[in-house]
């Protein structure tokens, strides 16, 4: 019996494919441009509700943390610094979840005492949510 769900196995296969694709790219500029196109294409494939959220997250991350490079990570839009994922968007549909998630890896500089959130449920992007996302991604790379 496998310890991984079908969705998790599919995500791992997507990640392996992403690594192979990335290894074949020629120049760093080509890699960055191609990676962003892949992220935008993945966002375009999402269900409408997830797509709206992912588009806003993408716009906010690229505007407020331009040092982060968009890339696919386990089939999800993510944003990396020096090749290491700092934050990512997980659609609700992908894992049949109740809500989308904006997540942060241990690379994000969000430390706050002995315990802090590393993932945020996302159901709408209001002006207040946009402000919070901007603050989080700015702090994550500071």
């Amino acid at each position: 019996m496998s310890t991984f769900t079908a969705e998790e196995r599919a995500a791992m296969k997507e990640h392996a494919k992403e690594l192979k694709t990335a290894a074949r790219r020629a120049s760093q500029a080509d890699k960055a441009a191609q990676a962003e196109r892949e992220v935008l294409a993945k966002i375009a494939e999402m269900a409408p509700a997830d797509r709206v959220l992912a588009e806003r997250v993408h716009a906010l991350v690229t505007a407020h943390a331009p040092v982060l490079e968009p890339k696919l990570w386990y089939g999800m839009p993510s944003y990396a610094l020096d090749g290491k994922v700092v934050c990512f968007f997980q659609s609700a549909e992908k894992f049949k979840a109740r809500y989308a998630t904006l997540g942060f890896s241990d690379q994000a500089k969000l430390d706050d005492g002995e315990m802090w959130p590393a993932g945020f449920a996302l159901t709408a992007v209001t002006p207040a949510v946009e402000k919070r996302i901007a603050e989080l991604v700015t702090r994550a790379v500071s």
Side-chain angles (χ1 to χ4, degrees):
M1 177 175 217
S2 177
T3 58
F4 296 106
T5 66
E7 291 83 7
E8 290 168 331
R9 285 192 302 277
M12 288 186 277
K13 286 179 183 178
E14 281 188 81
H15 184 57
K17 183 178 172 184
E18 292 158 8
L19 292 174
K20 288 178 186 176
T21 300
R24 285 186 238 133
R25 294 195 186 116
S27 73
Q28 189 62 21
D30 289 343
K31 286 181 184 180
Q34 181 62 31
E36 181 155 22
R37 284 191 296 272
E38 290 170 357
V39 166
L40 293 172
K42 184 61 76 173
I43 290 170
E45 293 172 3
M46 292 179 184
D50 285 334
R51 184 172 52 247
V52 168
L53 297 173
E55 287 171 346
R56 289 305 305 138
V57 167
H58 179 78
L60 290 163
V61 171
T62 56
H64 293 280
V67 67
L68 294 177
E69 295 180 350
K71 67 183 255 176
L72 288 178
W73 184 61
Y74 294 97
M76 296 177 285
S78 70
Y79 304 88
L81 181 63
D82 297 327
K84 295 181 181 177
V85 171
V86 173
C87 62
F88 60 90
F89 176 85
Q90 181 177 312
S91 73
E93 181 183 50
K94 183 172 182 82
F95 292 102
K96 299 176 181 81
R98 197 166 57 96
Y99 48 77
T101 304
L102 174 61
F104 292 88
S105 75
D106 62 332
Q107 300 297 312
K109 297 174 185 171
L110 299 177
D111 302 35
D112 186 17
E114 296 175 349
M115 186 172 142
W116 59 89
F120 298 84
L122 189 58
T123 59
V125 182
T126 64
V129 171
E130 285 186 352
K131 182 179 177 188
R132 181 71 173 132
I133 291 171
E135 290 168 352
L136 285 167
V137 298
T138 300
R139 187 169 151 209
V141 295
S142 63

